[in-house]
């Protein structure tokens, strides 16, 4: 895998990459040191004390979402198969308006640290939080595996380090961010990373377009003359139309169910800031995807498909190789360091949301029934972060050489089927019940896992069987409607009077919020009182 | 008197927010599903280049991304200019 013959220095230790990466790690660790001194309460640990501004949160949201998979993956997909990459870009982006219109504000007004706060608000705490935690942790674990395995392979190619070394470095640094700096550090790591990634990608695209007189159509025309008009049309990715639609639906609604994204809405002071931050994030991510598209075509023309596939069959090295061609080894080093930093930041965000599910949903609400003192909650949160970080390292090593594509698909499908329907129904439907919520969340997680197991990705590609019992690679088209249907039917079967009576309270608070703090006042204690749920005494709003 | 009428006004305002949010969601869904269905069922059309180097598929894809951002902006402007002031009025 060391293609000295291809005239690239990919796969050999690169001084620039190492210097830039060390610089990134030092700066972010300094931020963590600063944040650690400000992280004394659970509100600061999980939600940065609600003191993040809309613009900052917009960058952090974008940082959480722009994983190395979307940067290197889309560029590689476009470089090797042209138009098909755009299907992913569009699918990953159109989830954001849905988040803005339906989820962001009610979530901010109703919850405290996790989306389970919203679902459990007028329902019985224990069963709802248990099933929400199942969904959240499944999403987090699969997403973590995908990122860690991706890291190991990328870093081996980019830096010339060994797979295991890369996984351990990412895991260890990420544990430091989350353990000591909590959400304040994680947010700033995301902001630094988002700026670097956007800046690096834009500079690279600028260098490409410079060679084509800043005309994207000249670039695309060159790709057509090289690879034929198929480069600009849907290709082999969409051999099965239903498959395309199913993938699209899962990508769209998956965003509205990703725990580390939903958690970001608690870091801003109010619903208005939550809404505004998604507007910034949507613009940044949309711009980034369009830039990535230029990079992909640029790589296919300036580097060549053969050379790209020669280094990595998946095409993931397209963007770094392009950087080397247009800017030399120094630029290759910079883009490599940015890719490494990107993975680091996404893994930190994921771990924090997993720790919130373990500590806030399972420990504080289920085990201690809301009576855990502040210091204990914080301790459990830190222990959870440490455990998840170590788990991520172990899983990264264990799953070495696994196909990670299906894990990302699984994470999005579970997020879309387990979390999104229950979240939406709990905000919109008076008749939603505890049993309905539990059934919807468990059906969503289990059916998504089961159908992925029965899909061609696992049965044919991984296990080598001739055919698969379930025809689609992505189960979203089946599991999302199923989860809605089960939640609806189960709720109708046994109405819950208390939950329905308290819907008025949900409606009121969802729109009015816990009250807006006066200008210039200290950030509020996040969403004020904890969402109470039914077993506790009803509370005044 | 003000207790109930305030409640009703709040309910009406909340219903209005859901209507606006719902309409924008449907607009996004229609545009996106339209794009996906064209990709899935009409490959030749999507590959048609009306300018050399620019296919209908690429333009529609880029427009869908742009539309997502514009719709988010439309909602934000509506909420900041109409919804928030009305809500503040009722909170008093």
């Amino acid at each position: 895998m060391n293609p000295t013959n291809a005239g690239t220095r990919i796969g050999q230790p690169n001084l620039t990459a190492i210097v830039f990466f060390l610089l990134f790690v030092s700066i972010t660790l300094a931020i963590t040191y600063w944040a650690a001194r400000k992280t004394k309460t659970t509100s600061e640990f999980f939600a940065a004390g609600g003191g993040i501004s809309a613009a900052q949160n917009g960058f952090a949201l974008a940082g959480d979402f722009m994983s190395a998979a979307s940067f290197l993956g889309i560029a590689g997909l476009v470089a090797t198969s042209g138009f098909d990459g755009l299907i992913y870009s569009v699918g990953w982006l159109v989830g954001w308006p849905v988040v803005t219109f339906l989820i962001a504000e009610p979530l901010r007004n109703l919850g405290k640290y996790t989306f389970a706060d919203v679902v459990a608000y007028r329902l019985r705490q224990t069963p709802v939080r248990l099933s929400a935690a199942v969904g959240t942790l499944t999403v987090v674990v699969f997403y973590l595996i995908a990122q860690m395995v991706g890291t190991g392979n990328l870093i081996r190619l980019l830096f010339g380090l060994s797979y295991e070394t890369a996984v351990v470095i990412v895991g260890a640094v990420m544990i430091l961010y989350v353990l000591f700096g909590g959400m304040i550090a994680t947010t700033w790591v995301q902001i630094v990373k988002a700026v670097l990634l956007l800046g690096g990608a834009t500079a690279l695209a600028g260098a490409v377009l410079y060679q084509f007189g800043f005309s994207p159509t000249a670039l695309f025309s060159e790709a057509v003359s090289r690879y034929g008009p198929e480069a600009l049309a849907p290709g082999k990715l969409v051999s099965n139309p239903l498959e395309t639609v199913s993938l699209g639906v899962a990508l769209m609604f998956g965003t509205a169910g990703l725990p580390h994204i939903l958690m970001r809405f608690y870091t801003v002071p109010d619903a208005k800031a939550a809404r505004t931050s998604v507007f910034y994030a949507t613009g940044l991510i949309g711009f980034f995807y369009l830039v990535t598209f230029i990079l992909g075509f640029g790589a296919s023309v300036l580097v060549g498909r053969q050379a790209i596939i020669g280094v990595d069959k998946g095409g993931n090295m397209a963007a770094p190789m392009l950087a080397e061609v247009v800017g030399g080894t120094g630029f290759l080093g910079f883009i490599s360091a940015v890719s490494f930093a990107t993975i680091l930041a996404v893994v930190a965000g994921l771990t924090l949301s997993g720790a919130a599910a373990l500590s806030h949903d399972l420990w504080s609400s289920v085990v201690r029934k809301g009576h855990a003192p502040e210091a204990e909650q914080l301790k459990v949160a830190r222990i959870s972060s440490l455990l998840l970080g170590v788990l991520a390292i172990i899983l990264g090593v264990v799953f070495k050489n696994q196909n990670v594509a299906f894990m990302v698909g699984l994470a999005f499908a579970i997020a879309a089927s387990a979390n999104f329907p229950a979240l939406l129904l709990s905000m919109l439907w008076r008749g939603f019940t505890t049993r309905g919520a539990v059934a919807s969340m468990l059906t969503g997680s289990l059916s998504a896992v089961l159908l992925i197991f029965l899909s061609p990705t696992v049965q044919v590609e991984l296990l080598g069987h001739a055919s698969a019992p379930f025809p689609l690679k992505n189960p979203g088209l089946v599991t999302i409607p199923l989860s809605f249907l089960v939640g609806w039917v189960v709720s109708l079967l046994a109405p819950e009077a208390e939950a329905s009576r308290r819907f008025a309270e949900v409606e009121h608070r969802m729109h009015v919020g816990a009250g807006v703090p006066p200008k210039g006042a200290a950030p509020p204690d996040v969403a004020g009182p904890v969402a109470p749920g039914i077993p506790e005494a009803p509370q005044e709003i | 008197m003000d207790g109930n009428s305030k409640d009703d006004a709040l309910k009406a305002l909340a219903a209005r927010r859901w209507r606006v949010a719902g309409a924008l969601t449907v607009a996004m869904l229609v545009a996106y599903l339209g794009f996906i269905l064209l990709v899935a069922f009409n490959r030749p059309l999507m590959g048609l280049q009306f300018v050399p180097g620019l296919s209908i598929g690429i333009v529609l894809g880029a427009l869908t991304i742009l539309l997502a951002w514009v719709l988010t902006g439309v909602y934000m402007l509506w909420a900041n200019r109409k919804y928030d002031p009305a809500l503040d009025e009722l909170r008093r």
Side-chain angles (χ1 to χ4, degrees), chain B residues 6-23:
Chain B
K6 212 169 193 176
D7 256 17
D8 290 344
L10 194 65
K11 276 206 171 112
L13 185 64
R16 207 162 124 223
R17 197 197 82 91
W18 280 123
R19 269 201 309 278
V20 172

Side-chain angles (χ1 to χ4, degrees), chain B:
Chain B
M1 154 214 163
D2 61 323
N4 273 335
S5 68
K6 212 169 193 176
D7 256 17
D8 290 344
L10 194 65
K11 276 206 171 112
L13 185 64
R16 207 162 124 223
R17 197 197 82 91
W18 280 123
R19 269 201 309 278
V20 172
L24 288 168
T25 306
V26 169
M28 191 67 248
L29 267 175
V30 167
Y32 175 57
L33 286 178
F35 172 74
I36 283 292
L37 290 174
L38 278 177
V39 165
F41 293 102
N42 201 338
R43 270 198 255 180
L45 175 75
M46 294 303 256
L48 202 69
Q49 297 175 41
F50 56 88
V51 178
L54 208 55
S55 68
I56 292 185
I58 288 186
V59 172
L60 289 183
L63 281 180
T64 312
I65 290 182
L66 193 67
L67 180 76
W69 189 55
V70 169
L71 288 182
T72 312
V74 166
Y75 174 75
M76 190 186 69
L77 285 180
W78 173 81
N80 287 355
R81 286 185 188 167
K82 297 273 159 77
Y83 176 73
D84 282 351
L87 193 62
D88 281 344
E89 196 62 37
L90 286 173
R91 267 207 197 103
R92 261 180 227 145

Side-chain angles (χ1 to χ4, degrees), chain A residues 319-343:
Chain A
M321 289 175 88
L322 180 66
E324 190 178 19
V325 167
V326 299
T329 320
F331 204 22
L332 167 68
F334 177 70
I335 293 291
S336 303
V338 169
S339 312
F340 203 168
T342 288
I343 301 173

Side-chain angles (χ1 to χ4, degrees), chain A residues 33-221:
Chain A
Y33 177 73
W34 161 78
R37 302 164 55 162
K38 303 181 76 169
T39 304
K40 295 197 170 61
T41 65
T42 40
S43 155
E44 281 151 0
F45 188 83
F46 287 131
I52 302 292
S53 79
Q56 288 163 352
N57 197 46
F59 272 91
L61 275 169
D64 255 322
F65 199 66
M66 296 182 298
S67 64
S70 54
F71 174 47
L72 301 176
I74 291 178
L77 196 57
V78 174
T80 53
S81 27
F83 178 84
D84 287 355
L86 195 59
I87 302 171
Y88 278 92
S89 304
V90 174
W92 268 322
L93 191 76
V94 294
W96 286 96
V98 177
V99 173
T100 326
F101 307 148
L102 302 179
I103 308 267
E105 294 172 48
L107 198 73
R108 179 65 194 85
N109 282 335
L110 279 172
K112 202 172 180 206
Y113 304 133
T114 65
F115 89 94
D117 291 342
V118 177
V119 184
Y121 195 89
R122 64 190 161 110
L123 305 176
R124 292 201 307 276
Q125 297 285 316
T126 306
V128 170
R129 288 197 188 265
L130 273 173
S131 17
V134 169
T136 298
L137 291 172
T138 319
V139 174
V140 166
V141 165
F142 279 97
Y143 219 114
L144 267 178
I145 295 177
Q147 295 289 334
M148 293 306 268
V149 174
T151 314
N153 290 321
L154 286 176
I155 297 322
R156 207 182 34 155
L157 285 168
L158 291 173
F159 285 66
L161 290 172
S162 82
Y163 177 94
E164 285 79 8
T165 315
V167 168
V168 170
I169 292 179
V170 167
V173 179
M174 170 272 282
I175 289 172
L176 291 179
Y177 292 157
V178 177
L179 193 60
F180 296 107
M183 186 54 114
I184 302 176
T186 307
T187 302
W188 281 101
V189 170
Q190 295 295 7
I191 294 172
V192 172
K193 162 256 171 115
V195 170
L196 279 177
L197 187 58
L198 281 163
T202 309
L204 189 51
V208 169
L209 286 177
Y210 173 75
Q211 308 203 7
F212 293 90
F214 290 101
S215 153
T217 50
L219 170 64
F220 299 157
S221 298

Side-chain angles (χ1 to χ4, degrees), chain A residues 516-534:
Chain A
V516 172
K519 267 211 155 67
D525 177 25
V526 192
V530 194
I534 282 173

